Amino acid sequence: MRALQGKVAIVTGASRGLGRAIAIKLASLGAKVVVNYRSNTSAAEEVLSLIREVGGEAIPVQADVSIFDDAQRLVKSTLEHFGRLDILVNNAGTTRDGLLVRMSEEDWDIVIDTNLKGAFNCTKAAQRRMLKQRYGRIVNITSVAGLAGNAGQTNYVAAKAGLIGFTKALAKEVGSRNITVNAVAPGYIPTDLSASLPPDLIAKGLDMTPLGHPGTPEDIANAVAFLVSDDASYITGQVLSVDGGLAMQ
């Protein structure tokens, strides 16, 4: 029997990058997966196809998680189709990099609203069902930047650091209902999102990484799969760095 058989998972921002890998991994372990995406329908359909190839079951749900009503609709659609919700992976994210002195209010707001408020919106929507079930697994995708900071990314770092605090506070609120809340902090993982990073910054990051090479989206997916499994049932409020050792620097 597969480890997540009978479980239902929402993965936000699942049409590409880390979310794509996480959705496919959870489906391969038996979970029924809701592939959330904001605008790229064709990419979401490709993820669904890959999930079906591994014998999984999934549906796509378009929703902009930075909008509260969209997050509510995402959860409502999940419950209407599958009848339950066990796992929420708050992965959706974006960047608008630049030095603070030149950063616009819009670039600040977009990053905070997607990366941090999006997690609030989706968790708020999902929490009621998890509390009623007395079971839930929530994983927030943060970043080593949220632990150590990164010049030129004050908006992104503020959002990712906020996610860490959100994780710890919520873990204390819902632990008595058998709901765990953890975070995964990736290091440098080549994805569409990280492709905009300056080459010199990437080189510096890899030079500071003890393992000396980038990770893969599958590395992050494996960590998430562990945290939502029964093997991690006594782990909550933790931040798991999957970064080749970068966070030690």
Side-chain angles (χ1 to χ4, degrees):
M1 180 177 289
R2 294 186 289 180
L4 300 178
Q5 196 76 40
K7 299 294 193 293
V8 175
I10 292 175
V11 181
T12 68
S15 65
R16 61 176 186 162
L18 303 183
R20 169 186 168 122
I22 293 166
I24 294 169
K25 179 66 177 182
L26 298 187
S28 75
L29 294 173
K32 298 174 182 179
V33 178
V34 176
V35 176
N36 161 250
Y37 67 101
R38 184 171 65 93
S39 58
N40 197 334
T41 303
S42 61
E45 290 293 341
E46 184 180 346
V47 176
L48 291 176
S49 177
L50 292 169
I51 286 174
R52 288 165 187 150
E53 285 181 12
V54 298
E57 182 179 352
I59 62 168
V61 178
Q62 186 283 326
D64 183 342
V65 299
S66 71
I67 300 172
F68 186 76
D69 287 346
D70 271 26
Q72 293 281 329
R73 179 171 53 79
L74 170 61
V75 171
K76 183 179 179 182
S77 297
T78 301
L79 295 175
E80 287 177 347
H81 191 88
F82 291 122
R84 61 181 297 118
L85 174 57
D86 305 285
I87 297 164
L88 172 64
V89 182
N90 287 309
N91 164 77
T94 190
T95 57
R96 295 290 191 278
D97 294 348
L99 296 175
L100 184 64
V101 69
R102 292 195 291 269
M103 185 177 293
S104 68
E105 182 181 7
E106 179 184 14
D107 284 348
W108 175 272
D109 288 345
I110 287 172
V111 171
I112 297 296
D113 285 350
T114 302
N115 296 22
L116 182 56
K117 188 185 176 188
F120 162 79
N121 289 341
C122 292
T123 306
K124 175 81 170 176
Q127 186 179 27
R128 186 179 299 275
R129 177 50 65 104
M130 290 183 175
L131 289 170
K132 185 177 181 180
Q133 292 174 173
R134 290 185 173 269
Y135 179 89
R137 299 288 181 262
I138 299 170
V139 178
N140 301 312
I141 305 301
T142 179
S143 169
V144 292
L147 294 167
N150 206 19
Q153 289 189 310
T154 52
N155 49 4
Y156 182 77
V157 171
K160 293 302 189 180
L163 267 180
I164 292 172
F166 176 81
T167 297
K168 292 178 179 293
L170 185 62
K172 292 184 177 182
E173 289 186 11
V174 299
S176 65
R177 295 297 185 95
N178 193 31
I179 301 170
T180 66
V181 189
N182 292 289
V184 173
Y188 175 59
I189 312 289
T191 64
D192 292 345
L193 195 64
S194 63
S196 62
L197 292 173
D200 59 330
L201 184 62
I202 295 173
K204 181 180 178 182
L206 289 177
D207 186 57
M208 295 173 62
T209 300
L211 290 184
H213 62 80
T216 67
E218 289 71 28
D219 290 325
I220 307 306
N222 289 338
V224 172
F226 166 66
L227 289 172
V228 303
S229 74
D230 289 342
D231 290 337
S233 61
Y234 200 58
I235 298 173
T236 195
Q238 302 304 306
V239 181
L240 176 57
S241 294
V242 185
D243 62 356
L246 177 60
M248 293 190 296
Q249 303 302 315

